[in-house]
Amino acid sequence: MLADAACIASCWTVAVLGYFALGGRYDPVIYLRFWPVIPTFVAFNALFRLYHGRLLYPAVPFSPVEELRRLAGAAFLLHVGVLAVLVLLHQTTEGFSPAVIVISGVLTAVGAQSVRNACRAVLARLGLGRIPVALIGSGGTARRLVEALSRDAYAGLVPVGCFSDDR
């Protein structure tokens, strides 16, 4: 959750400051009013079921492609919602640049997966955020599975034992 919040805050900051640096006519400070996008993005991710299992290791059962699809969907809906609120409630986007919102949406959709992967790598290095699992099986297959899970930080699982019917 913290990684997603940091990602969207960073993407908005980059979009606003980048637009301003390239000659945007809007005062970057007015974009501070958009702070609710941060908890809203986290809430959308929760609705897309990206937080389950342990809080330190979200989306354990999803493949990277499925996780990216859900993150991009949440980012898209959030940013379309921001544009819709500006147009429907304020009847204008005057004072704000729609380009900043679109750029932030693209950056968030593309960057969220990378930020999550970086957090996973840091957590794995610290020995945190991995779910202990017990395997049922024995022999070479169980050994290969233990080795594969031990090497794969993305899986988020750490084997702690094996149950076998072999004596």
Side-chain angles (χ1 to χ4, degrees):
M1 289 179 177
L2 292 175
D4 292 338
C7 176
I8 193 162
S10 299
C11 290
W12 271 82
T13 302
V14 166
V16 168
L17 295 179
Y19 183 77
F20 184 72
L22 293 173
R25 298 175 299 156
Y26 305 108
D27 181 13
V29 175
I30 64 171
Y31 287 95
L32 291 175
R33 289 191 236 166
F34 287 93
W35 69 265
V37 299
I38 297 169
T40 305
F41 183 59
V42 172
F44 275 27
N45 286 347
L47 289 174
F48 277 69
R49 292 191 19 211
L50 284 161
Y51 306 123
H52 56 282
R54 296 207 175 171
L55 288 179
L56 289 177
Y57 203 91
V60 167
F62 295 130
S63 70
V65 173
E66 178 64 15
E67 185 178 19
L68 177 61
R69 185 183 71 77
R70 289 174 186 234
L71 284 167
F76 175 77
L77 284 177
L78 173 67
H79 289 84
V80 166
V82 168
L83 285 171
V85 165
L86 285 174
V87 171
L88 294 174
L89 292 181
H90 300 289
Q91 301 296 316
T92 183
T93 59
E94 191 172 320
F96 303 101
S97 171
V100 167
I101 298 166
V102 170
I103 290 167
S104 173
V106 171
L107 289 174
T108 302
V110 172
Q113 183 76 23
S114 299
V115 171
R116 282 175 158 231
N117 288 342
C119 285
R120 284 186 184 107
V122 168
L123 288 173
R125 206 170 263 279
L126 295 173
L128 299 172
R130 299 191 71 189
I131 299 170
V133 295
L135 304 173
I136 299 174
S138 63
T141 304
R143 259 190 311 280
R144 286 192 300 276
L145 185 56
V146 167
E147 290 170 8
L149 289 176
S150 298
R151 283 192 315 262
D152 186 8
Y154 193 86
L157 305 172
V158 59
V160 293
C162 291
F163 292 98
S164 172
D165 59 357
D166 289 348
R167 292 179 189 238

